[in-house]
Amino acid sequence: MKKTIYLKKDKSGYYIFGIKIALLFSLLSTICFYSSAGKQALITRRHTLSSDIKNIRIQVHQVHIRLLKMKGKKKEIKVQYHKTLSIEEEDSTLIVSEKDFPRSEKYKEGLKKKPVMTVWATRLPVKIGIFEGTVQINQFWKTDLALFVLGKGSINIKNTAGSLHIFQSSGDIGVQSHSGELMIQSEDSRIRLRSCKGQMNISSFKGHLEVNKSNGRLFVQSFKAPLVLKHFTGRLDFRQEKGGVYLKPLVGSVFGYSKEGEVRGVIRANEVDIETQTGRIHLDFPYSRAWVTAETWEGRIFTPLYFNRIKTGGIDRSKGQLRGTKKKGSVSLKSHAGSIRVYQSIN
């Protein structure tokens, strides 16, 4: 190629060179055209809501969707997307939808680069449904939110209040600074809650669950998703099969069952009732004066030396009151074959 351009001095050589230059400029012009078109491709639509509208529903295939609060008191919705969406009112619901939703022949799973969709909405209950993609919500107060990701997705929610319901097949779920009812259902997601308060109900088949600096009442049901609580205050109810429960620490009450997963950590207890089949129970009760009863059929018990030990009917029991300085509580620990260890790092 270089020999053709620089060594040949005849007209044909220059003609070939000229063609290549023309093709190059044509290519660059095409790139610039599409680049410019890409910047202008976003379509913005506004829709004033009638007084009958009580809910908003958004349904698209694969997208990175951002939900923002509409400024001002005007009752309307604004949508910015790269193609025209259907916006229509049906009974008491405003529906924003791709025209071929719920399924399209053009829909391909695993699309790497998701188009961005931004929605500004008034403070009405919002339901978002997508097949794949991400959902980002920030500062959406005192309203009900419901999110459905039927495939793999990522959900990031901050500074919300009200009722929040999330269903996701797999991916990541992050909720920070939510106040109110929270319900999460997932098959295989990494779930992280931080600075949340209220009633929280989480169901997960597998994955991972971490709750940090939160308070309220937490219900957890999972097959093999480990549960980690860091600085949780309130009441925990759990039912696990294989995932462990780790308390770092918990202040309040714990009621739960684990088949194979261990229950380990620090509890500043009001009331505790924990049972396992083969899972170990190893708990630290700093400062506590709680009355403790531990029972196992096939496992071993390790409790303070001043506890009473009794073995009758094939059951090994240990009972006693911890010698801490804080208020009394009640602790019941049972395991069929797992070991039970009770101790106080600080009296």
Side-chain angles (χ1 to χ4, degrees):
M1 183 70 68
K2 289 184 179 180
K3 290 180 179 179
T4 302
I5 293 173
Y6 292 105
L7 296 180
K8 287 189 177 182
K9 300 297 184 179
D10 58 354
K11 293 182 179 180
S12 62
Y14 286 109
Y15 180 67
I16 295 172
F17 177 76
I19 290 177
K20 291 175 180 176
I21 290 294
L23 289 174
L24 177 61
F25 276 106
S26 175
L27 178 61
L28 289 175
S29 300
T30 305
I31 292 172
C32 292
F33 172 80
Y34 280 109
S35 176
S36 176
K39 292 180 181 179
Q40 298 175 358
L42 291 176
I43 302 170
T44 301
R45 293 186 60 187
R46 288 180 178 267
H47 185 89
T48 301
L49 307 182
S50 69
S51 58
D52 296 331
I53 296 301
K54 307 298 180 185
N55 306 278
I56 297 172
R57 188 164 79 231
I58 302 167
Q59 46 195 37
V60 287
H61 289 119
Q62 296 169 299
V63 71
H64 170 71
I65 184 167
R66 298 188 301 161
L67 178 63
L68 304 173
K69 184 175 65 175
M70 177 72 75
K71 294 182 179 180
K73 296 182 179 180
K74 193 172 182 181
K75 195 175 181 182
E76 66 176 3
I77 184 172
K78 183 172 76 169
V79 180
Q80 191 177 73
Y81 196 44
H82 75 290
K83 62 181 179 179
T84 303
L85 296 170
S86 169
I87 301 179
E88 56 185 19
E89 297 185 5
E90 183 178 298
D91 298 327
S92 61
T93 302
L94 178 80
I95 302 174
V96 180
S97 175
E98 285 187 292
K99 293 181 179 180
D100 51 8
F101 192 89
R103 199 71 177 177
S104 167
E105 294 180 359
K106 297 180 180 179
Y107 170 72
K108 296 180 180 180
E109 294 183 358
L111 183 66
K112 291 184 179 181
K113 190 173 183 179
K114 309 292 191 300
V116 177
M117 176 180 178
T118 305
V119 179
W120 292 263
T122 55
R123 194 172 290 167
L124 287 176
V126 177
K127 181 183 291 185
I128 298 175
I130 63 176
F131 280 97
E132 289 183 348
T134 63
V135 179
Q136 181 180 341
I137 301 174
N138 190 8
Q139 294 184 343
F140 216 83
W141 294 93
K142 297 181 180 179
T143 192
D144 297 338
L145 297 171
L147 313 177
F148 301 87
V149 182
L150 303 182
K152 186 174 183 180
S154 177
I155 295 174
N156 189 356
I157 299 175
K158 295 181 181 180
N159 305 312
T160 54
S163 175
L164 175 58
H165 290 194
I166 298 173
F167 172 85
Q168 180 174 270
S169 179
S170 63
D172 295 300
I173 299 174
V175 181
Q176 182 174 334
S177 300
H178 176 76
S179 177
E181 180 187 4
L182 172 60
M183 179 179 292
I184 298 176
Q185 292 177 285
S186 171
E187 182 180 349
D188 182 10
S189 292
R190 184 175 182 84
I191 303 170
R192 299 176 183 176
L193 309 182
R194 184 180 180 87
S195 302
C196 296
K197 60 182 179 179
Q199 181 163 307
M200 296 161 269
N201 194 321
I202 301 173
S203 301
S204 181
F205 179 74
K206 58 182 180 178
H208 184 84
L209 171 61
E210 182 177 308
V211 181
N212 196 352
K213 295 182 179 179
S214 299
N215 64 82
R217 187 166 184 179
L218 175 62
F219 298 84
V220 177
Q221 183 172 358
S222 74
F223 182 72
K224 54 179 180 179
L227 168 62
V228 179
L229 270 64
K230 298 179 180 180
H231 306 287
F232 179 82
T233 302
R235 170 169 170 159
L236 168 65
D237 292 80
F238 69 87
R239 185 174 183 86
Q240 299 272 80
E241 291 293 320
K242 295 183 178 182
V245 177
Y246 304 93
L247 312 172
K248 303 180 178 183
L250 181 142
V251 179
S253 300
V254 183
F255 301 86
Y257 170 84
S258 177
K259 186 176 181 181
E260 300 177 25
E262 66 177 354
V263 182
R264 180 186 294 272
V266 180
I267 301 179
R268 295 177 182 174
N270 294 330
E271 189 174 359
V272 176
D273 190 341
I274 297 173
E275 181 177 353
T276 70
Q277 285 294 311
T278 60
R280 299 175 296 179
I281 303 174
H282 289 194
L283 296 173
D284 177 13
F285 295 92
Y287 305 107
S288 178
R289 294 180 60 204
W291 178 263
V292 179
T293 302
E295 298 181 357
T296 183
W297 282 259
E298 299 177 10
R300 300 179 65 186
I301 293 180
F302 305 89
T303 53
L305 296 176
Y306 53 85
F307 274 31
N308 294 324
R309 295 290 297 271
I310 305 170
K311 191 167 186 177
T312 57
I315 302 176
D316 191 6
R317 293 185 177 91
S318 180
K319 299 180 180 181
Q321 185 174 7
L322 295 171
R323 296 177 178 178
T325 57
K326 300 297 182 180
K327 64 180 182 180
K328 295 181 181 179
S330 174
V331 177
S332 174
L333 307 174
K334 298 178 182 178
S335 180
H336 184 80
S339 63
I340 298 175
R341 183 183 297 272
V342 176
Y343 65 96
Q344 283 189 294
S345 58
I346 304 175
N347 289 333

